Each structure stands twice: as C-alpha cells, then as structure tokens.
Amino acid sequence: MLENHVLEIDEGLVTDIHQKPYSETIRLDDCCLVPSFVNAHAHLEFSDLARPFPFEGSFTGWIRELLEYRDRRRNSLADLVMGGLFELRHTGSAAVGEILTGNLNPADYRDHSDFPVSSVVFREIIGLLPESHEEQLHLAKQHLDRFRPHEDDDPFAEQATCTSGGLSPHAPYTVQMQLFEQLVSLAGNRKAPVAVHLAETEAELQLLSRQTGEFRDLLERRELWRKGLFAKNGSPLDYLQLLRNVSRALIIHGNYLNNNELNYIANHPNMTLIYCPRTHRSFGHYDHPWERLLQLGGQVAIGTDGRSSNPDLSMWNELRFLKEKSPRATDQQLLHMGTTAGARALQLPEFGSLKPGASASLNIIRRAESTQSLFAHENDLIGTMIRGQWIRSPV
Ligand SMILES: [Zn+2]
C-alpha cells in the first residue's frame, strides 16, 4: 500500500505514480485506490432477475427452474447482456468472464458506451449424445471466428474491440468426454481460454464415479441417458488432465475438488480456480477449498456467477461477503483474487494492476474510521473510473 501518492493518468492509461507536487490533482482523503475489479465468472443472460431461483435441496430441481425461466422470458439475449454490463460497470468491474448461451456478436457487447466493460465471451457448449457433437463443434468454431481470442503476444489488441472469445464446455454432466476433448483441442489451436463448471456438486462426482444419483435421473427424464456415455470410475481429474495444454483454463466452482486435484491445478500455471462465494453459500456447500489451493501455490480468482444464484453482479459485495465469512483472509489476498488473478485468467494484462502502462481502470474505496480491513462492510465504493473515464466521480 502506497500512502500519499499521486497517480497520473493520460489517455486512458496510468502514466506515473509519484510523490512530487502536481497541479491537477483530485485530492482523496481517507480513500484507497485499487484496480478495477475483474469478475471472472458471470452469466449475463440472467441479469433481469430480481432475485435468484430458490435452492430447495436439489441441484437438478434448481436447474429445472432455470430452464423453465429461459423458455418463458421475453427480453432478447442482447438486451439481457446490456443490462448485465451496465450493472458491472456501475459496481466497479472493468472486465468480465461471461458465459454466452446463444449466438451474439462482439458488437452486442460494446454496451453503446464510450467506456465498455471488457468481455471475454465463453460460448457455452452442451452435447451428451454423439449425434449432437458435430453441430456443437460447428457452433464453437463459428463463435471463435466471430470473437477473436486475445493473444498473449498482442496484449493490447483486445482494447480495440473490448471483446475476445473463449469456449465453455458446460460441465461433465452435459458434455460427453469425446466432445469435451475436441472442444479443448480447438481452443488450444486457437489460443482461446476455456471455462468449465467442474466438481460443483457431490451429485456430479457420483455420476462420474458410479453413473447414479440425481443427475442420472435428470438425464433419463430428458431422454439424454445412454449406456456408455460416461467411463466407469471417472473423476474431475480426468477433465483437468485434458485442460493441461490450453492457454488458460478457468475451473468454475470446484467446490468438491480433492487434494490430488487441487495439487494438479497448483502445478499447472495455466489453470485458475474461480470461486463464487455467495453462490457457494446459497447452495449450502461445505467449506470451499480456495485457501488450500492458495497454500499449494495455485491461482484463485473471484466471480459473482449469474443472478440466477446470486442477488447481484457486484464484485465489491462479493469480496465484502467473503471477508465477513473468512475473517482470516487478508486484504492482499482478497484484492489479488478480485483483480489481478481474474485479469491473468482472462488474459487481460492491461487490467488488475495500477502501474505505468496499465489501463487507468480503478475504484476508490472510502475507509470508515473504525475499520481495519479494506473490505469491511462499513466502507464505501465512492468512485469508479474505466479507461480513464469516470463512471462515477468521487467529487
Ligand atoms: Zn456458472
């Protein structure tokens, strides 16, 4: 933490940080300047929901509610995305890892705004039965043609469009292993990041290891069950191993990863575990393994998930919730997970830090007198700047 410093900004970039006298300053007492938040996992298609779908003990029951809502909603997908981006911008996030379930274009993410949120758009792919694989693979290719992946050797290319593309084979219970492999190999060839929901529930582990339980029932009811769809004695590790060669892999939730699997993630720097604290709480899961992964030297970033399981898309609320739930978490850990780790996972090097050359995307947090932590509930987010433009000015 630097005290009493001047941060100079020009044309959307941080140009200098120093303690020299400077004439054009905005003085901010009792405030901390931090990089903009990076929301590493969201489903913007649910941004019109006033409250999450209630969880009544059955994960597949919750999925059923979500599918019914999708069938009856009136708003267009593009409008829902717009609503989500607006909320992100006004709650301090400059970038998002978004899961897209339809066919939108980069222009749909431009937000009709001079300071759009950077969106890494992961096309969600679902395909269990072999006859669906070809079509799903085609959709994935089309998406990557439309949304050019963001390449590490050209870190600022993304700024021109503020969008880049990735793939999201949804989860082991919706994507058959062969298709999963093909999607991962396509992403690898295109240097595109991959996001996958993994080890989210105990029921998922049961399906993979023994092909029984509530997911088996769900697949049978939807006429998607067939003998031989899953290998015997499968586990999340089988999927992690397939992800070892992609440029970035975002392991979403990972609530039930075992020590062996956490070790595997820690030993693969291309992998980041994405923890969604309030969603984790709303499904009543046991303790999340994020601290164990950090101890092993792995990367953890934070996401809000969608409004289908969380009351809002605010990373500020998410981080303050996590501080309250895990008082031992340090400001540095929380800040890293809410900014730098997400930017790294999404291949957006211009975000997640405040140093000369970085994007002038930042938040201003006013610390209440009584608080020790930056993420105490009494503190306020009083200003947000994205790419050098005030979204909300503190003065
Ligand atoms: Zn999700």
Side-chain angles (χ1 to χ4, degrees):
M1 191 92 75
L2 301 175
E3 278 187 59
N4 301 320
H5 274 65
V6 172
L7 182 97
E8 273 187 52
I9 288 166
D10 191 30
E11 299 206 354
L13 296 178
V14 175
T15 51
D16 203 0
I17 298 173
H18 58 76
Q19 282 189 295
K20 293 172 278 192
Y22 190 73
S23 59
E24 296 169 56
T25 50
I26 302 171
R27 202 190 148 99
L28 297 161
D29 291 312
D30 305 319
C31 288
C32 273
L33 253 100
V34 299
S36 285
F37 302 127
V38 175
N39 189 339
H41 181 62
H43 299 256
L44 300 182
E45 65 165 309
F46 300 113
S47 65
D48 65 335
L49 287 172
R51 65 189 68 82
F53 302 124
F55 173 65
E56 281 152 359
S58 154
F59 188 69
T60 52
W62 178 85
I63 291 179
R64 253 200 320 274
E65 279 218 44
L66 182 149
L67 294 175
E68 281 167 22
Y69 153 80
R70 230 187 228 156
D71 286 344
R72 66 171 188 264
R73 73 180 167 204
R74 297 261 172 84
N75 291 325
S76 75
L77 190 53
D79 285 345
L80 293 165
V81 163
M82 266 322 94
L85 291 172
F86 181 88
E87 182 178 357
L88 287 170
R89 198 148 37 97
H90 288 270
T91 50
S93 289
V96 63
E98 133 85 336
I99 307 291
L100 168 66
T101 53
N103 297 321
L104 294 182
N105 292 300
D108 294 315
Y109 283 82
R110 275 309 300 250
D111 205 3
H112 310 299
S113 157
D114 290 336
F115 14 84
V117 169
S118 275
S119 306
V120 179
V121 182
F122 295 90
R123 179 62 161 91
E124 180 172 283
I125 301 292
I126 284 183
L128 268 183
L129 302 180
E131 54 268 33
S132 69
H133 292 185
E134 206 180 303
E135 189 194 338
Q136 294 304 310
L137 204 57
H138 179 67
L139 281 177
K141 280 182 188 149
Q142 267 186 338
H143 176 75
L144 292 182
D145 289 341
R146 276 195 292 260
F147 288 79
R148 200 167 66 87
H150 185 31
E151 292 183 17
D152 272 346
D153 50 8
D154 188 9
F156 291 92
E158 181 271 350
Q159 285 201 339
T161 59
C162 298
T163 58
S164 58
L167 294 181
S168 179
H170 171 250
Y173 57 87
T174 51
V175 181
Q176 206 259 332
M177 183 67 103
Q178 248 173 358
L179 176 61
F180 191 94
E181 248 181 300
Q182 288 172 313
L183 292 166
V184 167
S185 137
L186 170 66
N189 292 339
R190 304 278 193 104
K191 294 187 181 159
V194 174
V196 55
H197 296 79
L198 193 66
E200 185 173 1
T201 59
E202 289 176 301
E204 178 190 323
L205 303 192
Q206 190 185 345
L207 179 78
L208 293 181
S209 62
R210 300 201 298 276
Q211 289 81 59
T212 55
E214 66 169 305
F215 276 117
R216 162 85 178 254
D217 299 341
L218 176 80
L219 297 178
E220 281 181 350
R221 269 199 311 274
R222 298 183 76 85
E223 297 183 3
L224 290 167
W225 177 258
R226 233 176 253 175
K227 238 183 148 183
L229 275 184
F230 296 89
K232 287 213 170 78
N233 300 319
S235 75
L237 186 63
D238 304 335
Y239 295 85
L240 289 176
Q241 283 168 342
L242 292 176
L243 292 165
R244 67 187 180 279
N245 291 326
V246 294
S247 60
R248 291 286 191 276
L250 288 81
I251 313 301
I252 315 295
H253 303 309
N255 300 332
Y256 293 94
L257 291 169
N258 63 29
N259 285 340
N260 194 15
E261 289 152 352
L262 293 170
N263 253 313
Y264 193 86
I265 295 176
N267 289 327
H268 287 82
N270 66 327
M271 297 187 184
T272 303
L273 178 62
I274 313 298
Y275 173 32
C276 304
R278 286 182 292 172
T279 291
H280 181 268
R281 190 259 328 251
S282 75
F283 287 112
H285 296 303
Y286 308 127
D287 281 347
H288 190 276
W290 67 276
E291 283 171 296
R292 261 187 291 154
L293 182 58
L294 286 185
Q295 279 161 9
L296 292 168
Q299 289 288 332
V300 181
I302 303 289
T304 60
D305 213 342
R307 274 171 166 257
S308 45
S309 56
N310 202 9
D312 59 58
L313 303 176
S314 163
M315 284 288 286
W316 174 234
N317 288 344
E318 203 71 48
L319 290 164
R320 287 190 297 172
F321 168 81
L322 181 54
K323 177 66 194 176
E324 198 173 25
K325 184 170 171 286
S326 309
R328 278 181 310 154
T330 64
D331 283 359
Q332 280 84 350
Q333 280 177 327
L334 294 169
L335 193 57
H336 180 81
M337 293 193 292
T339 62
T340 321
R344 187 182 168 280
L346 295 172
Q347 296 174 280
L348 299 173
E350 61 274 36
F351 296 109
S353 65
L354 291 176
K355 60 185 179 196
S359 170
S361 298
L362 53 89
N363 287 315
I364 298 165
I365 297 169
R366 181 157 56 211
R367 301 181 77 134
E369 240 174 66
S370 55
T371 62
Q372 297 292 318
S373 169
L374 189 57
F375 298 99
H377 263 280
E378 298 84 344
N379 296 345
D380 274 330
L381 180 64
I382 60 161
T384 295
M385 174 182 276
I386 296 185
R387 300 168 199 276
Q389 306 278 343
W390 288 116
I391 305 298
R392 181 152 57 121
S393 166
V395 287

